[in-house]
Amino acid sequence: STYEGERCAELRWEPVSDLLAGEFTSIQISPTNPNVIYAGIDSNDMSVYKSTDAGNTWQLFDVTGHTSGIAISPSDPNIVLYTSLESAVRRTVDGGWNWESVLEIVTETGNNPFTAITFAPDDPNVVYTANVPGPSRGGFYPPQSAQVYKSKNAGLDWSLVGICECGSIKHLVVQSGTANVIWAAGDGGVRVSRDGGQTWSGNMIAKSIRDSLGEVGGQDGEFGAIGLALRPGDNQTILAASSMAGMYRSTDGGQTWVEANTGLKTSLLHHVMFAPSNPNVAYLATHNGVYRSGDAGQSWTLLTQGWTYNFFTPIAVDPNDADIVYVGTATEVYTTHPKHFNPGMHEGEGLYKTIDGGKAWSRSDKGIYEGKLAQMGTHPLLPFNLWVGGESGRGAFFTPDGGDTW
């Protein structure tokens, strides 16, 4: 019987569903507007989130499946594409309000999973992506064949341009200055195409190691790579983050490689990125912490000492400020590199931001929650004890205080 205007004032509702997501796969900042950021999630319930205020708040913008890669146009923050492990490549031209499927390969075993995707930095019309034929999501050796696709109209239409024995490609980088030189990091190591994806080299790291040892022939070995970065303004300097053997660095365009693990306390590496505004600064996400380099990847310093949870995958650096960095934790439920499979919910998961080069970090994931809850159950005697089950994700959640904490 008590009203405020026309609204009942006796029942008041407030959100208590802060089931913070922790399975980030990709973080991408718009090159032309650093306030616009997209984050991909390893869950069917929440594929792509967007922030328009530099990570302060987020909104869910599309739901298909487990996101694997995101690409933002180098000239227009409203044009975005992302890949999924279960469905078609998706595209928006209005900043995420509307999406369409633009590339899909369906076989008897279902959708072929698309993994990495990237724009050419100097040509916003050119986009590359790759999939792994068949139901496999990759992560195996010997590597499978990856189909490489190219778009010449900003991701609207696609054509198959070549086959790379890369296995599941985790990262694609188009070299600055030309849209025809593409670098790939995947199950088959680091490989390069110099003709727009038609033909590909062998595993360049494995070749360099064999040459240094004076060996002829033989197998490439398991030099799988997850992260890859070309130094801004210097295409000769390349960092390759391997999945099992640490960091490799080349200063001659990939002809020779040396280990660059000084300061690293783990050999299980994930994504690596140079700061676009400072080619001496690079950041690295690993199985056990986030690192920073001030000498273009020759040595590393741990930034997350003592953190509760240290399993990170995606990393993004502000295009105008080398000290502004975003990193996301991972659970890797349906990962493309199963050797790092890490399911479950873990204390400390989330998306973090630093504005001082990693000295201090803060949570930057307000609004990124588990998106689809299917079951709720309360304790018969303790009313503030609540169990919640997700429809597709990491399982069940529990709160002892009516949703204040989970």
Side-chain angles (χ1 to χ4, degrees), residues 130-145:
N131 73 6
V132 183
S136 168
R137 291 173 172 138
F140 304 104
Y141 195 87
Q144 302 164 284
S145 299

Side-chain angles (χ1 to χ4, degrees), residues 286-290 302 304-312 329 347:
T286 78
H287 201 93
N288 192 26
V290 177
L302 180 64
T304 55
Q305 182 74 38
W307 282 36
T308 302
Y309 189 65
N310 263 309
F311 192 103
F312 297 92
T329 62
E347 183 181 355

